[in-house]
Structure formats: C-alpha cells, structure tokens
Amino acid sequence: MAESIVLETRNLTKCFGAVRAVQDVSIVLRKGEILGLVGDNGAGKSTLLKIIAGILQPTSGEIYVDNKKVRFKHPRDAIEKGIYYIPQEPSVALVEQLNVAENFFLNNEPIRKIGLIKLLNWDAFYKETREFIESFGLRFDPYRKVRELSGGERQLLVVVRALYRRPRILLLDEAVSALSVRIKEQIFDILRKYRDRTNASMIFVSHILEDALALCERIYVMRLGKIVFEAPTKEIYGKEELAIKMWRGE
Amino acid sequence: MGFQEIIFHDIKEVFNIEGILLVIANVGVFIAFSIGVPTFATISNIYVIFDFLSVLGIAALAELTVLVGGEIDVSVPMQMAMVAIVTALCSSYKIPTAASLIIAFLIAVLIGCVNGFFTAYIQLPSFLVTLATNALLQGVAIILTRYSSLPIMDMRVLELFYRTSIAGLRINLVWFIVIVAIVAFILKYTRFGRRAYAIGGNPFAPWNLGIDIRKNKLELFLVTSMLSAVAGLILGARAESARADMATAYLLPAIAAPVLGGASLTGGYGSVIRTILAALVLQQLTVGVYALGVEPAMYLVLQGIALIIILTIRIALQYRLYKK
C-alpha cells in the first residue's frame, strides 16, 4: 500500500517542567489507516495525541498535515484541518446540563436565516440528530439530558458526534478503555464502517494491546516518551510477547 | 417530530418542579398578603408591584446572563448606580440626551469589558474581579456625588425610561417586556446563548470543539452591563435623581432570583421565565412587607428566611432526582 501520508510528526518533544513526556517522536499516518499507539500509563501517548489535536503545545518539533507544516494553537485550528479528538472520559467532551441534540450540534448549530437574523433551527437539531444516530443502528432520544445517559451511551454519542463532522483524521485517546466489551465492539464497528466509507485516518491510543490489535492495521509502542517498536498488526500476531517486552522496556 | 413536539418539551423544561413551585409560591404569597393587607389585591397595588419588578427583573436577567456562563457579577447594582449618576451629571451640563445616553452606555461597556477581560482572559475568579470593580465604582460614585443625590434634569431621559406610557403601559414596563423577550430570545435562539450554557456547564467540551470560550465569556459580561445600564436608567428616571447607594438593595435579590429560578452558581443552568417568576415572588414580599406597615428592615429578615427555605427545598428535590 503506497497510500499518501496525511499526518506526520517530526521530532516532537513535550516537557512538563523537568519531565520529558514526549521525546523526539516521529510518526506517520497514512490515508485510510487506523494506527495504534500503545504503551503503559505515563508513556506519553495521550500527550502526543493532545499535541496533534492542538490541546497542548509542543516544546519542540513539527507537525505536517498533507506535507504542509502546521502549528495548532487552539483545538479550533486542528478542527479546521478536519482533525477531531475524542477523550477517554465522555464527561470532558459532553455538557451534562444540555440534551443529546444540543451536545450533538455543539459548535456546529443548525441555523435558519430570517432576513439578517440568524436563528437556531431547533427542528433540525432534533431531526438530524435522530436520523444520523439511527443511521448507525443506534437509538437515542435527542431530548434526553446527557446526565441521564450511561457511560457507554455517552461515549457512543461522542464518537457519533465526531463522525457527523466528517473528520479526515480521528484521534481516539483511550476512547474505549473504560467500556464494556459489547459497547467496545459497537464502537469499533462504527469506526471501521466510517473508515471504509470515507477513507479517513485514525490514531487509536490505548494501554490495552488486544484492543489495538483488534482495530488497528499498524502499531507503535511507546515507552517513557519514546517510540520503541513499530510493526504492522499482522506481523505482531504470534509475536505479542516481543511487543510486550518492548512495552515493559525489557 | 415537529413544532408542537419541541414546544411541548420547552414548556416541560421551563415548568419543571422548580417552575411549578415558583408559580405556587407566587400565588401563595399573593393570597397571604391579600388576607393580611386589604389593599394588597387591588389593581393599583399590582401595578406598583410590576412597576418595581421592572427594575429588579432586568437586574436579575443581567445576573442570569453571567450565571448561565458559570460566572457571577456582584457589581451589577453599582453599575446601575453609575449609569444613573453619569446621566444626572450629563443633564446638569446640559449635554444632549442622545449624547448622554451614549456616554452612559459606553461606561457600561467599559465596565463590562473590564469584568469580562479579567475573568475570561486573565482567568481570575469573577467573584473577586467584580467585587473589586464594585469597590472601584462605589468610590468613584461617592466622589462624583459627594454623598448626596444628583437630580436628573433631562426631561427626555425621564420620559424615555419612566414618564410616558405606550398603549396604557408605563414605558418602564414596556422596557421590561422587551428585555425579557430579548434575553429569552438570545439564550434560546442564538448560538451565543446556547454556547453560554455549554461554557458554564463544562468549559472543556466547547473548548475541545473549537469554541473561543474566552470571547464568549467577555460578551456575556457585556450583555450583563448593558442590561444593568437599562435597569439603572429606569431606577434613576423613577427617582428623578441618582445617588451612590441607590441600587445597593438590589444585589441580593438580583442574584437570588436567577438562583431560585434554577440557575446554578457553577453555571450551565438558568431560565428567563423562572427567573422572572422568582423575582416576582421577591418583589411581592417587599411590597407586602411595606404594606403591612411593619419595620421595613423586616423585609431583609423575610428575604433571608425565604431564600434559605426555597434553596433547601431545591436541594431536597435534587437529591430525590438523583436517587431515582
């Protein structure tokens, strides 16, 4: 597969005081690829992802999107390039006080123009939320408050909401690590369908190797801020022990 | 799906348990005072209640706007006084009405910018920032008025905010109705308004999705200051004068009304209609206590008791809600 590279980091480093959370990390993400980034807690996976999403600023190093150097100072800059970030905790991504439809359309609110006045189109809020969520075979009452949803339902909502915005690159930061097997499968299924339909790329961060093996085509292992191992998933099968050794730094 | 379904959900949301309780409280307080005071249930007295409500209601909406965004503005009463004082000073220098109103609103904008800038961009707690601007404004107001009251001599200002009627309604009530409609519209039908709830509810969520939450917060403080300015002008026009301490008594009820109406001090909640209903309860209490002829300070005692009782009921209801 000689697919084009959509995202590349070159020598990314991030220091928190004396701690070097990410050191000299260079990775590439190809078009239509689901890339795994695994490692122990504190390996720097999430920090790396947050830098790509514009949530954190790198201490040094560069990011290239479509071979063009970019500098994200705000998540908004990443979103403009079609990069969406999904955190582990849906409580970070959703506003509990608002209902499903309002969360679904946050910063993307449907508008109806009457003369010069731009009004929110509440009809579209509820109708489109319901239709889009149902297109994935899920059922959500768009009027329900998010605080009434279960953890799994919330994460499904976060994932589906991100997909509605047609991301070119989806960043999943431990997005399924806290979920049951059933919801996990459901989310993997949705992600694969979306990738097959749109040829979007994804980076899947997890501290659970099995999850990454189940979803991703290529895997990087991180340890203490550095990439220590890289291989296509099919080559790792049967050699899981090696990956785990690298993971532990043995 | 359709219009009716949405309206149905909106009504259900406004008249939740709190909304229903506020309606009951209004009716209860009205009946209680009508029994205690024979003149309470008269058209003229009801007119008085709404006359006062026009100021408290607008001040409460000013406070609601920042509360929804998770902030608080304790300088609202001083902003009201400041705008009235500036208008009075302008009138004494015979500055044309339009110019003096522009100056007054520019000062409101300036105060809103200071409050909003230090809260949103420097990320200081809004309680402390507005406490500081409150002290600053109080000092300036005292210097400008020298502890006395300044007459507002510009007839057109008085007419514009109190002394005329439109279709039988005194103009301050027209202002009140228009402002209730505008704030309700902004909070429900504009992106800015809905995002205010999101920012107050969980700032990380809108930030992660690319919303400039600092700008939105600054704008919320601006709206608050503009509303405070209108409330201050009505208050000044009714008294035909301005003093440094003219609005001090509005601080507690202006914050209490949105909170009783379901707003949370941590943001994300708040309803225009319930805020007005709560303001009406508080306003009935004031007028009723005065009508009873007891010590006016009793109003403060009653207000304190009423607040604690109603807030306790609210917390109890919330516990039940979460237990279910």
Side-chain angles (χ1 to χ4, degrees), chain A residues 91 94 102 107 109 147, chain B residues 191 194-195 202 209 269:
Chain A
S91 60
L94 299 173
E102 285 172 323
N107 201 22
E109 299 88 346
R147 63 166 183 268
Chain B
R191 286 184 163 178
R194 280 338 277 180
R195 286 173 186 179
N202 178 8
L209 289 172
Y269 292 107

Side-chain angles (χ1 to χ4, degrees), chain B residues 70-256:
Chain B
E71 304 294 344
I72 192 166
D73 187 345
V74 294
S75 67
V76 163
M78 273 324 296
Q79 293 184 44
M80 291 163 63
M82 199 64 203
V83 167
I85 289 167
V86 167
T87 319
L89 281 174
C90 286
S91 75
S92 69
Y93 289 110
K94 305 261 184 312
I95 293 173
T97 312
S100 68
L101 287 181
I102 288 172
I103 294 170
F105 275 97
L106 280 180
I107 283 174
V109 168
L110 180 70
I111 301 168
C113 279
V114 170
N115 284 340
F117 175 78
F118 284 100
T119 303
Y121 286 87
I122 311 292
Q123 301 191 356
L124 302 177
S126 54
F127 181 70
L128 294 178
V129 171
T130 55
L131 210 53
T133 47
N134 186 61
L136 189 156
L137 289 172
Q138 203 166 9
V140 173
I142 290 172
I143 292 167
L144 288 176
T145 59
R146 298 197 182 81
Y147 294 99
S148 64
S149 87
L150 302 178
I152 298 178
M153 290 175 289
D154 189 334
M155 273 309 288
R156 285 176 63 193
V157 169
L158 301 183
E159 279 167 11
L160 208 50
F161 290 95
Y162 195 69
R163 276 196 168 180
T164 32
S165 301
I166 294 177
L169 273 185
R170 196 177 272 168
I171 191 138
N172 59 328
L173 281 175
V174 177
W175 274 106
F176 172 63
I177 292 164
V178 168
I179 280 178
V180 168
I182 290 176
V183 177
F185 175 82
I186 288 177
L187 288 182
K188 179 75 188 174
Y189 285 101
T190 68
R191 286 184 163 178
F192 167 71
R194 280 338 277 180
R195 286 173 186 179
Y197 283 89
I199 288 167
N202 178 8
F204 298 108
W207 188 76
N208 273 334
L209 289 172
I211 293 177
D212 188 345
I213 62 175
R214 293 181 300 187
K215 182 167 152 275
N216 268 44
K217 261 195 184 162
L218 177 77
E219 288 165 353
L220 283 176
F221 276 96
L222 280 178
V223 173
T224 296
S225 291
M226 303 306 279
L227 295 178
S228 305
V230 177
L233 284 167
I234 294 174
L235 191 63
R238 182 165 58 205
E240 299 183 13
S241 64
R243 343 174 9 111
D245 62 351
M246 65 192 289
T248 316
Y250 283 94
L251 179 58
L252 178 62
I255 295 173

